[in-house]
Amino acid sequence: MKIISIHILFLLLLVTNSLAQDAWIQVDSLNGPPRANAVSFIIGDEGYITTGYDGSSKKRSMVSYDYQQDDWDNELSLGGTTGDGLNRSSAISFTAWGYGFVGLGEGTGFMFTDLWMYDKYTDSWTQMANFPGGARAQAISFCIDNIGYVGLGKLSDLATFANDLWAYDFLTNNWSQKSDFPGTARIDAIGETLGAKGYVGLGHDSNGYPNDFYEYDPQTDNWDQKADFPGSPRSNAATLGIFPQLLVITGGDAFNYFNDCWEYNYFGDVWIQRADFPGGSRSGACAFVVDGRAFAGTGYSDGQYFDDWYEYGFQLGTSELIQLNISIFPNPATTNFQIDLSKTEKKINISIYNCIGQDVSAQFSQEIQDNVYQLNCNDIVSGQYFIIVSEEDKLLTTYPLIVSR
């Protein structure tokens, strides 16, 4: 297949991302005052940001972002019209069953144990079961299969750091304790979801700024240490996850603020530095992914608070395919497609994964002739898959495959 054909296919794949590869573009700024240490969640095709600190007061106000209109709207504040006293920063948040959840965090002189649910369709907040692990702030949160996970953080005595993990089930409105995080107890770590796994690391512990990184499997309730973060150790960074890639953006330590951006790849257990965040160095930024599009902004640096907002385009691997002389056609695929390795001199291994990280190669019936794979996808569920190109144990590139009928 000619290189120009690969470029055409790549344009077809940008149905969920209008940006060039590995690039940031500034979009509409946040409504209201600039803020840092806010939290976010997603409902439908809109992202929501609430709570935070603007340099003079803690917040409970909420705004929503419509990426199709590139516009922010003011929304009902945390707790509703009678929610006075719920202002906070360094809270936790997640999305489950189409609702947004916000809780914990630090108020004025105290910390919270509460959890609140936002219903977009009735425009209302409902208080749910309190977090049983004790009042705290600067904790982590992520969500897998509509179960919210919350842990780590600083307890109300301001001196004790935690390493516990708790799961919240909205259907029973109940919390249950899970296996402790195996790293040191810490605050302002990162927590993110990729596929069916959770990822936690970095942050600030009693000895400094660790650069370790762990994967949590809710099916086994086990943790597995992954490749250490290769950038400067930091806390209060922002994260973005679009399987199979996770970004760590900005953050700071005791002396510095950062604007670098690092990508973790699920399949290779490797980190790659990507394009710097263009808004400048900062900590306490906020981020979310909506409809496969990644956004980040806000935060603070040297006493300045920000309301700027940016969209990021993930690197999808097309250039690596060209360099390896590999072609994949057609993509999107309906009944069959081919992977042509005949022009590459490397000993390439090919495997196919779904969006939760399961190897589904065996589900694609295949024939191989002259190093050209002919794959049938008649019995495959429509959706996005990932073609993993490796050499021995070394990941070379990840390429998205669309099966559509």
Side-chain angles (χ1 to χ4, degrees), residues 22 229-232 234 247-248 259-264 270-277 312 315:
D22 188 29
F229 177 71
S232 298
R234 67 195 64 191
L247 291 187
V248 175
N259 74 329
D260 51 346
C261 173
W262 292 84
E263 175 193 296
Y264 175 79
V270 293
W271 292 90
I272 303 169
Q273 189 165 8
R274 295 303 190 186
D276 286 348
F277 179 74
Y312 177 76
Q315 180 85 12

Side-chain angles (χ1 to χ4, degrees), residues 282-303:
R282 64 186 66 189
S283 183
C286 196
F288 56 66
V289 174
V290 56
D291 279 354
R293 299 175 66 164
F295 300 89
T298 70
Y300 70 93
S301 177
D302 294 322

Side-chain angles (χ1 to χ4, degrees), residues 110-380:
F110 63 94
M111 295 184 185
F112 293 93
T113 61
D114 56 354
L115 180 70
W116 292 82
M117 180 191 75
Y118 178 69
D119 185 337
K120 170 182 178 178
Y121 303 101
T122 61
D123 190 27
S124 62
W125 287 94
T126 303
Q127 188 167 5
M128 310 305 289
N130 282 352
F131 176 69
R136 68 181 69 186
Q138 299 165 275
I140 60 95
S141 57
F142 55 88
C143 188
I144 302 171
D145 291 335
N146 290 304
I147 301 295
Y149 294 86
V150 176
L152 287 64
K154 179 173 63 178
L155 303 188
S156 57
D157 63 5
L158 306 183
T160 304
F161 294 175
N163 70 337
D164 53 351
L165 183 72
W166 298 78
Y168 175 76
D169 185 346
F170 165 69
L171 297 182
T172 61
N173 191 26
N174 186 56
W175 293 88
S176 58
Q177 190 164 8
K178 300 299 181 180
S179 295
D180 287 348
F181 173 68
T184 55
R186 64 190 69 183
I187 62 174
D188 286 331
I190 58 169
E192 187 58 84
T193 304
L194 274 186
K197 306 286 180 64
Y199 293 83
V200 177
L202 308 185
H204 177 43
D205 65 14
S206 58
N207 296 313
Y209 296 85
N211 66 344
D212 50 355
F213 190 63
Y214 296 83
E215 177 187 83
Y216 176 73
D217 185 343
Q219 297 298 316
T220 61
D221 191 27
N222 286 327
W223 293 89
D224 183 27
Q225 188 164 6
K226 311 304 285 187
D228 286 347
F229 177 71
S232 298
R234 67 195 64 191
S235 67
N236 218 6
T239 59
L240 289 164
I242 299 181
F243 188 84
Q245 297 147 310
L246 180 152
L247 291 187
V248 175
I249 313 157
T250 66
D253 60 24
F255 304 102
N256 306 287
Y257 296 101
F258 302 108
N259 74 329
D260 51 346
C261 173
W262 292 84
E263 175 193 296
Y264 175 79
N265 188 286
Y266 173 93
F267 296 113
D269 187 28
V270 293
W271 292 90
I272 303 169
Q273 189 165 8
R274 295 303 190 186
D276 286 348
F277 179 74
S281 302
R282 64 186 66 189
S283 183
C286 196
F288 56 66
V289 174
V290 56
D291 279 354
R293 299 175 66 164
F295 300 89
T298 70
Y300 70 93
S301 177
D302 294 322
Q304 181 180 1
Y305 288 77
F306 301 102
D307 63 357
D308 50 349
W309 198 244
Y310 302 83
E311 183 175 3
Y312 177 76
F314 277 86
Q315 180 85 12
L316 296 179
T318 303
S319 61
E320 289 91 340
L321 281 184
I322 295 171
Q323 293 167 8
L324 292 167
N325 286 317
I326 297 173
S327 66
I328 300 171
F329 180 84
N331 190 359
T334 54
T335 59
N336 56 72
F337 65 99
Q338 72 172 28
I339 304 174
D340 187 349
L341 308 178
S342 61
K343 295 180 181 180
T344 183
E345 297 179 357
K346 292 180 176 289
K347 294 182 179 179
I348 298 297
N349 298 314
I350 297 290
S351 53
I352 304 174
Y353 283 74
N354 63 18
C355 284
I356 61 172
Q358 297 171 327
D359 188 340
V360 295
S361 304
Q363 297 179 26
F364 290 80
S365 58
Q366 55 186 269
E367 296 179 3
I368 305 174
Q369 184 176 1
D370 297 328
N371 223 19
V372 177
Y373 288 66
Q374 300 286 346
L375 296 102
N376 185 292
C377 49
N378 273 322
D379 298 326
I380 301 300

